[in-house]
Amino acid sequence: MWLSDERCAEMVEASWSSYSVRHCDSDILKRVEICGRDLAWWNHNIFSNVRKELMNKKALLVEAESAAIVSGQNGRVRELKQEINILLDKEVRMWSQRSHTLWLKNGDNNTKFFHCRATKRHKKNKIRGIMDENNTWRIKSEEINLVLVNYYWELFSTSRPNPQWPQLEHIPSMITEEMNLALTDTFTTFEVKEALKQMAPFKASGPDGMPPLFFQHFWGVVDADITNSILS
């Protein structure tokens, strides 16, 4: 939805170039973090006031229609109707994305339906509390996160590792030395770009919170810095 506004690209370019990268992974992650924070501010303060803008435009439309009856000039009325249609389309896409309803086309202007779906999904997915290993009920978000991380850390770790299982000796090796060298070789910028192209735009966002769509669409902005980070 943000990509429909040309100011989004301007915000990304300005934010990305505001931080000096020293060609290491931590600097790239820091730049992504800053860019995400700037986009969140832009969305809250500039882009997402759709409802407020709709109310203002509709009020202006009523005044313009009254004035057009007197003057006979309806140019302002047509202009306001066009702006309202754009805002209505933006509102539908906003709630469509928030509801994660993929089986209904974007052109269905059923804002109430998408709003109900998003609200229901939010209530269903919200974790209000969780019991930790000491049977203590945790309700703060940071405490819930810690309990979940600790649980899976214990689940996928062992206190008595034994990598030298004799059973493994009877499994034939299918990976040749040449194949192993290719698999463990340093990946290239081309491979990163191709992998990003194959990812679903809004799936599997990493710890930075940025979905693949960000890198797919703004690859021209981030390409040089990611390339330098890979080659360094």
Side-chain angles (χ1 to χ4, degrees):
M1 181 181 65
W2 290 356
L3 300 181
S4 62
D5 194 319
E6 60 182 12
R7 295 172 298 179
C8 179
E10 297 173 358
M11 170 60 69
V12 171
E13 292 180 12
S15 178
W16 193 266
S17 61
S18 66
Y19 184 79
S20 177
V21 174
R22 297 187 299 274
H23 311 324
C24 65
D25 293 342
S26 60
D27 290 323
I28 292 292
L29 294 176
K30 184 64 177 178
R31 178 170 280 190
V32 172
E33 178 187 350
I34 292 174
C35 192
R37 189 167 60 242
D38 290 344
L39 281 171
W41 177 91
W42 174 77
N43 175 65
H44 179 74
N45 293 279
I46 300 176
F47 182 78
S48 65
N49 295 323
V50 177
R51 289 184 175 179
K52 185 177 180 181
E53 289 185 44
L54 269 174
M55 292 176 60
N56 293 336
K57 295 295 182 181
K58 287 179 178 179
L60 291 174
L61 179 61
V62 173
E63 297 177 0
E65 287 176 338
S66 300
I69 294 175
V70 177
S71 63
Q73 302 293 329
N74 60 353
R76 178 57 176 165
V77 173
R78 289 196 301 269
E79 180 183 342
L80 285 170
K81 285 184 177 180
Q82 184 177 3
E83 293 175 358
I84 289 174
N85 287 334
I86 294 174
L87 289 171
L88 287 172
D89 180 65
K90 187 181 294 185
E91 184 185 29
V92 170
R93 278 184 289 167
M94 177 184 71
W95 284 112
S96 175
Q97 291 180 5
R98 289 186 181 181
S99 66
H100 287 218
T101 304
L102 304 178
W103 49 267
L104 197 61
K105 289 185 177 180
N106 205 27
D108 193 324
N109 294 324
N110 197 342
T111 308
K112 185 177 180 180
F113 168 78
F114 289 127
H115 182 275
C116 291
R117 292 279 298 184
T119 304
K120 181 180 179 181
R121 185 176 183 276
H122 176 73
K123 291 179 180 178
K124 180 181 179 181
N125 292 345
K126 184 175 180 61
I127 299 176
R128 302 186 182 277
I130 194 170
M131 195 80 72
D132 64 9
E133 65 275 7
N134 299 318
N135 292 327
T136 302
W137 187 251
R138 303 294 185 179
I139 58 175
K140 294 182 178 179
S141 58
E142 58 271 13
E143 293 177 344
I144 293 175
N145 293 339
L146 184 60
V147 171
L148 291 172
V149 170
N150 289 338
Y151 172 78
Y152 285 103
W153 180 268
E154 293 292 333
L155 182 64
F156 294 107
S157 62
T158 175
S159 57
R160 298 164 60 184
N162 183 19
Q164 303 300 327
W165 292 334
Q167 293 86 347
L168 296 179
E169 298 178 359
H170 302 284
I171 300 177
S173 177
M174 305 299 293
I175 304 297
T176 65
E177 187 65 25
E178 183 180 357
M179 294 168 64
N180 188 59
L181 289 174
L183 290 170
T184 58
D185 194 13
T186 304
F187 50 84
T188 64
T189 307
F190 174 78
E191 292 173 329
V192 174
K193 186 176 182 180
E194 289 301 304
L196 281 170
K197 285 182 179 179
Q198 297 172 21
M199 297 176 69
F202 296 102
K203 299 293 185 180
S205 58
D208 53 37
M210 287 294 190
L213 177 66
F214 173 79
F215 299 98
Q216 290 170 351
H217 189 81
F218 297 109
W219 181 259
V221 178
V222 306
D223 181 17
D225 297 310
I226 293 179
T227 302
N228 290 334
S229 177
I230 293 174
L231 296 178
S232 60

